[in-house]
Amino acid sequence: MITPFQRDGSVDEKALRRFVDFQINGGVDMLLPCGTTGEGATLDENETDRVVQIVIEQAGRRVPVIAGAGSNSTAKAVAAAKRAKKAGADGVLSVGPYYNKPTQQGYYEHFKAIAESEDIPVIVYNVPGRTGGNIEAKTMLRIAEIRNIVAVKEASANLGQIMDVIRDAPPDFRVLSGDDALALCVVALGGDGVVSVISNETPSMMSSIINAALEGNIVKARELHYKLLPLMNMNFIESNPIPAKAALAMMGLIEENYRLPLVPLTADSREKLSKVVEELGLLQAAAK
């Protein structure tokens, strides 16, 4: 989920509550505040806790809430998981340590420490493009054996690696795509779903793609996939979540405010994004 901000930079709590309802009404299976798309890296601990609390309250147990709780410091990631548990989150998403560039054994020990510190389900987030390091399939399969590690959000864009994890993972370990454009591929290969950016703008259509694929209706899923592909690509024309928040502002769901170092879309990107949003009928859908 994105985090709506007011013009003064504070969290827009009213917009956040409305956005929770928009997502649930659109058919998502769970909510994930304070991740990358939620600008979690620029939220302080009090803001993070407040956002998670609001999302849990507004969700009202209609769907699970998974809190973004990662850090490149193992001690800080442990503390974040403990705070999420105390807030009532149903699980946490914990990113592979960035900047430090740990060894494969370092990744294993990092997630082992988090999982053993608190009795809360942990989703591992592998995103080499942001962290500077890749959690290899062999390492992920070791991590999958740790109690409380329940899933991976795989955003390596390496389908060979993802297939290795899907093929050899424990039966109760879930593999979720971390890339919207590859979500259909991952589910068709045996994966379990997606942690999505585009569902911020169009939760109903993205949910329909995944549900159709999980049901084996690849023809329907493929048709919807190609319909949404232009927006999937446009969401990364500049750094996520800049385009997604711009689109949501066009739809009248939030004010378009960011935390530095993120800045608004360039005029050229905005024109391209606006055209795609309009072609998908999202402006009219939001007005309803």
Side-chain angles (χ1 to χ4, degrees), residues 89-163:
D90 297 284
V92 295
L93 178 77
S94 194
V95 68
Y98 41 89
Y99 189 78
N100 308 58
K101 301 188 79 171
T103 64
Q104 295 302 304
Q105 185 63 25
Y107 285 125
Y108 178 82
E109 297 294 346
H110 174 81
F111 287 106
K112 183 172 181 285
I114 295 168
E116 291 180 349
S117 71
E118 188 62 77
D119 188 18
I120 188 170
V122 178
I123 300 175
V124 176
Y125 181 18
N126 186 37
V127 57
R130 285 186 180 266
T131 65
N134 177 48
I135 306 173
E136 298 171 2
K138 184 177 179 180
T139 305
M140 188 63 67
L141 291 168
R142 288 183 66 209
I143 292 171
E145 297 286 350
I146 300 171
R147 188 180 69 87
N148 290 338
I149 303 284
V150 299
V152 59
K153 175 187 176 185
E154 243 293 355
S156 66
N158 183 337
L159 284 176
Q161 174 172 294
I162 295 170
M163 285 189 287

Side-chain angles (χ1 to χ4, degrees), residues 208-222:
S208 294
I209 291 174
I210 301 303
N211 289 331
L214 289 170
E215 292 165 4
N217 191 343
I218 299 299
V219 173
K220 178 182 177 181
R222 187 169 57 221

